[in-house]
Amino acid sequence: MTPDPAATASAPAPARRAPAGAAVLRADVTEAIRDAVVEELAAVGFSKMSIEGIARRAGVGKTAVYRRWKSKLHLVLDLVGAFAVDGLPVPATGSLYGDVRALLEVMSHVLRHPVASAVIPDLLVEAARNPEIADAVRGALLDGQRRMAEGIVSGAVERGELSEGTDPGLALDLAIGPLYWRQVVVRDAVPAQYLDDLARSVVAGLTATASAP
């Protein structure tokens, strides 16, 4: 029997099945992969770390990793960026000392994160050999800190605490350099008194530099 063309044309189209890979990415899997990256980096370092090793440690397939990140570098930078200070408000305490002290408090908290001790030192070693990694790490770690330093110096200049032309980069070096050395390299305790003293030293150094002929 020949089918009626009119009936065929008016029949509803069969429902299309969703592609097998169209499922929403599960948050618990993403978190398991991030945890595995920290453990894998601590165990073998960035150069020997592999997507296969990360997937094995996380208990997932390689495709679960590649759905989220296209390479191990992007995965690690995403992890680093998750605890960077980018997006945090610039301290506005009303004084240069207060702003520097607030910045140190934030950075001390950031550097206590396991990623800071397990990931950043190894990445910095790789950055010395690989310009791509160096540029990516610089963007992930320094952009937010530079923005905060620029805001602190700008506020101090407006209040007359620092002179025009004070270098925000110098302010960042004076503040974060000693803190990073103590917390990440030496792994010594950082009590509140140390942050108080360091903030005073940073202010003294910036003021002396700004007033130098």
Side-chain angles (χ1 to χ4, degrees), residues 22 26 49 76 83-84 89 98 113 117 133 161 181 183 189 198 201 212:
R26 288 171 48 187
M49 186 180 75
V76 170
F83 75 96
H113 193 286
S117 57
I133 295 178
E161 294 177 280
W181 174 264
Q183 279 195 234
L198 180 56
S201 297

Side-chain angles (χ1 to χ4, degrees), residues 150-205:
E150 289 168 358
I152 289 172
V153 169
S154 175
V157 170
E158 290 178 4
R159 291 189 299 268
E161 294 177 280
L162 293 175
S163 60
E164 288 280 356
T166 299
D167 182 9
L170 176 61
L172 193 60
D173 291 345
L174 290 173
I176 307 304
L179 187 63
Y180 182 87
W181 174 264
R182 184 173 179 123
Q183 279 195 234
V184 179
V185 180
V186 180
R187 298 178 184 270
D188 203 355
V190 180
Q193 186 61 51
Y194 174 80
L195 297 180
D196 294 342
D197 294 341
L198 180 56
R200 279 190 284 270
S201 297
V202 172
V203 171

Side-chain angles (χ1 to χ4, degrees), residues 81-181:
F83 75 96
V85 300
D86 194 24
L88 292 178
V90 175
T93 65
S95 73
L96 176 58
Y97 169 81
D99 289 352
V100 171
R101 180 62 175 78
L103 173 64
L104 290 173
E105 187 72 42
V106 169
M107 290 308 304
S108 179
H109 177 76
V110 168
L111 293 175
R112 284 196 298 270
H113 193 286
V115 174
S117 57
V119 176
I120 294 178
D122 195 61
L123 272 182
L124 293 177
V125 172
E126 293 297 325
R129 298 192 290 256
N130 188 322
E132 180 188 9
I133 295 178
D135 290 342
V137 169
R138 189 177 298 113
L141 292 179
L142 295 183
D143 287 351
Q145 295 178 26
R146 283 200 190 101
R147 181 185 57 80
M148 294 183 79
E150 289 168 358
I152 289 172
V153 169
S154 175
V157 170
E158 290 178 4
R159 291 189 299 268
E161 294 177 280
L162 293 175
S163 60
E164 288 280 356
T166 299
D167 182 9
L170 176 61
L172 193 60
D173 291 345
L174 290 173
I176 307 304
L179 187 63
Y180 182 87
W181 174 264

Side-chain angles (χ1 to χ4, degrees), residues 44-109:
V44 303
F46 181 83
S47 61
K48 295 182 179 179
M49 186 180 75
S50 67
I51 297 296
E52 290 82 357
I54 293 168
R56 190 183 315 113
R57 193 180 289 272
V60 301
K62 287 191 298 182
T63 54
V65 180
Y66 281 118
R67 282 195 194 110
R68 293 161 172 82
W69 301 277
K70 63 182 181 180
S71 71
K72 68 177 185 178
L73 174 60
H74 288 86
L75 202 166
V76 170
L77 291 176
D78 174 71
L79 193 67
V80 171
F83 75 96
V85 300
D86 194 24
L88 292 178
V90 175
T93 65
S95 73
L96 176 58
Y97 169 81
D99 289 352
V100 171
R101 180 62 175 78
L103 173 64
L104 290 173
E105 187 72 42
V106 169
M107 290 308 304
S108 179
H109 177 76

Side-chain angles (χ1 to χ4, degrees), residues 20-48:
V24 175
L25 297 180
R26 288 171 48 187
D28 60 329
V29 173
T30 301
E31 193 60 33
I33 294 172
R34 286 191 171 119
D35 291 343
V37 172
V38 175
E39 295 171 6
E40 192 75 358
L41 277 168
V44 303
F46 181 83
S47 61
K48 295 182 179 179

